[in-house]
Amino acid sequence: MSKRNFGIFFEMSVRGRSAEVEQKTFHNVLEQIDIADQLGYDAAWFVEHHFTRGFSHSSAPDLMLAAASRTTKNIKLGLGVMLLPFLSPIRVAERVGTLDVISNGRVLFGTGRGASPLEYQAFQRPFEQSRQIWEDHLDAVLEIFKADGAEVTRSGKYYEIPGVSVLPRVVQKPHPEVWVASTSLDGFLAAAKHGYHLLCMPILKGLSGLAEDIAEYKAELARNGFDPAKARIAIMVPWHVTHADSDIEAIVSAYIWYLRRQISLVAPPDYTDARHATHRLFGQTAVGMTEEKALQELTDNRMVVIANPEESRKAMDEFFAAGATDLILQFEVGGIAHSEIVSSMNLFAKEVAGFADTDIPARKLSAAVGG
């Protein structure tokens, strides 16, 4: 059996409008990365979103990872993802290069085009051209990386690289691993055509539908001359490992609060799969059904996992059977208490996946939320 990889994922949910709650969340997340590093998690990933109050305050993922790079030793630092259509390829290459240098080559370069019309409006990009802009900007960034400090000349509709050396150079040669995040089959196939690794989630189709798309991604890799066995496929899923003293009512409330905000943001701009309409309703049950019924629909379809260690092990095996090489766990959901998040991280590492043999407690931070 190939190695199973486990990462953690942060949306930076802020449940509360005060600046104090927001600041505490940021400090707690940085400690959670330190704990993940000590436990042996493989990677820490940050999303990039803009204007998503409550749901995600992660608008500068590279800065969070830069902070984490100075207090961790081994954990990979995943940009999950940088929204390339909104950024100059020069600035992307500079910031990724800087992060790769200060982390001693631990960057995972996740890219995507985003799915929010509001972001496209604010950054003055045509939403309907998102894929073309993303592909051009990614090609430009990779050209800069491969130039390794030599001058690059290239023009695009939204950028100009006028024969300049873009520095600093990345540590990893020719460049950090490229990952593509997508929620549509078209996006999976676009990633496969270039041999890029895949970041995906079951929130739209459920795990069974996602498994079908993963199979298509692997087939497209082979059609384009890439070995599917070498591809990395990471499934991102909100996950909480419960224990005897868990406040299940508070945890479920946090998940439903979070999903109410998420479901309207994750649909890709050109998704027409009829199945998407059916399964998207499973997320919308957070609005239209009781919490108990909503939770049943979401967990039955493996869109979220809230389970004890034994049931979590069963769910873990299902995700890898669906084609995952990496399982990226979102423990930080909807304002769950910091101490409870750390408990879940420990339980997963020790009793579910079994890659840790000791607990790492939460520190008594002055900024701890509920902790």
Side-chain angles (χ1 to χ4, degrees), residues 263-285:
I263 198 63
S264 64
L265 299 172
V266 298
D270 52 3
Y271 208 117
T272 57
D273 188 341
R275 213 181 217 204
H276 160 251
T278 300
H279 284 276
R280 190 179 181 196
L281 290 175
F282 291 152
Q284 290 173 325
T285 54

Side-chain angles (χ1 to χ4, degrees), residues 132-150:
Q132 298 96 306
I133 299 170
W134 166 71
E135 290 178 345
D136 181 41
H137 284 217
L138 178 54
D139 287 346
V141 172
L142 295 182
E143 183 175 342
I144 292 171
F145 288 156
K146 292 173 183 177
D148 199 29

Side-chain angles (χ1 to χ4, degrees), residues 65-305:
L65 292 171
S69 75
R70 308 313 299 155
T71 57
T72 57
K73 295 180 179 179
N74 300 310
I75 197 166
K76 298 281 189 178
L77 305 175
L79 293 157
V81 297
M82 295 190 83
L83 299 179
L84 298 189
F86 310 145
L87 301 166
S88 162
I90 293 174
R91 294 298 287 137
V92 173
E94 289 172 337
R95 297 176 80 86
V96 174
T98 300
L99 183 58
D100 209 37
V101 168
I102 65 175
S103 68
N104 295 312
R106 286 188 279 150
V107 172
L108 303 173
F109 180 40
T111 79
R113 56 193 175 112
S116 168
L118 180 58
E119 290 175 337
Y120 277 83
Q121 178 184 356
F123 292 109
Q124 298 183 319
R125 299 290 187 269
F127 193 46
E128 65 279 4
Q129 296 177 28
S130 61
R131 188 181 301 282
Q132 298 96 306
I133 299 170
W134 166 71
E135 290 178 345
D136 181 41
H137 284 217
L138 178 54
D139 287 346
V141 172
L142 295 182
E143 183 175 342
I144 292 171
F145 288 156
K146 292 173 183 177
D148 199 29
E151 292 182 355
V152 174
T153 301
R154 182 183 175 114
S155 296
K157 187 173 182 179
Y158 297 102
Y159 65 87
E160 185 74 30
I161 309 176
V164 293
S165 298
V166 181
L167 302 166
R169 291 162 286 191
V170 290
V171 173
Q172 302 173 77
K173 304 300 181 185
H175 52 72
E177 291 179 2
V178 179
W179 294 72
V180 173
S182 182
T183 51
S184 72
L185 179 57
D186 284 347
F188 286 28
L189 299 181
K193 287 177 181 177
H194 298 281
Y196 298 145
H197 301 312
L198 182 65
L199 293 163
C200 55
M201 59 184 68
I203 191 62
L204 290 180
K205 291 188 171 184
L207 185 57
S208 61
L210 182 60
E212 294 175 4
D213 285 356
I214 288 173
E216 291 289 337
Y217 163 77
K218 290 182 175 180
E220 186 70 9
L221 284 169
R223 284 192 289 269
N224 285 275
F226 299 103
D227 183 357
K230 294 181 179 179
R232 297 277 293 278
I233 301 165
I235 299 180
M236 302 178 288
V237 60
W239 201 301
H240 195 87
V241 186
T242 61
H243 54 85
D245 297 325
S246 292
D247 186 343
I248 301 298
E249 183 176 341
I251 293 166
V252 171
S253 175
Y255 269 64
I256 298 302
W257 178 91
Y258 167 80
L259 289 167
R260 282 174 175 159
R261 285 150 181 80
Q262 181 193 41
I263 198 63
S264 64
L265 299 172
V266 298
D270 52 3
Y271 208 117
T272 57
D273 188 341
R275 213 181 217 204
H276 160 251
T278 300
H279 284 276
R280 190 179 181 196
L281 290 175
F282 291 152
Q284 290 173 325
T285 54
V287 177
M289 288 187 176
T290 65
E291 289 189 356
E292 181 180 1
K293 178 60 176 174
L295 181 65
Q296 190 69 49
E297 296 281 5
L298 292 163
T299 55
D300 284 352
N301 288 279
R302 294 302 189 209
M303 296 178 178
V304 303
V305 177

Side-chain angles (χ1 to χ4, degrees), residues 8-24:
I8 56 174
F9 175 68
F10 296 99
E11 290 274 13
M12 302 292 294
S13 297
V14 177
R15 193 171 182 179
R17 286 179 172 258
S18 74
E20 181 183 9
V21 171
E22 183 177 58
Q23 292 159 19
K24 287 178 179 179

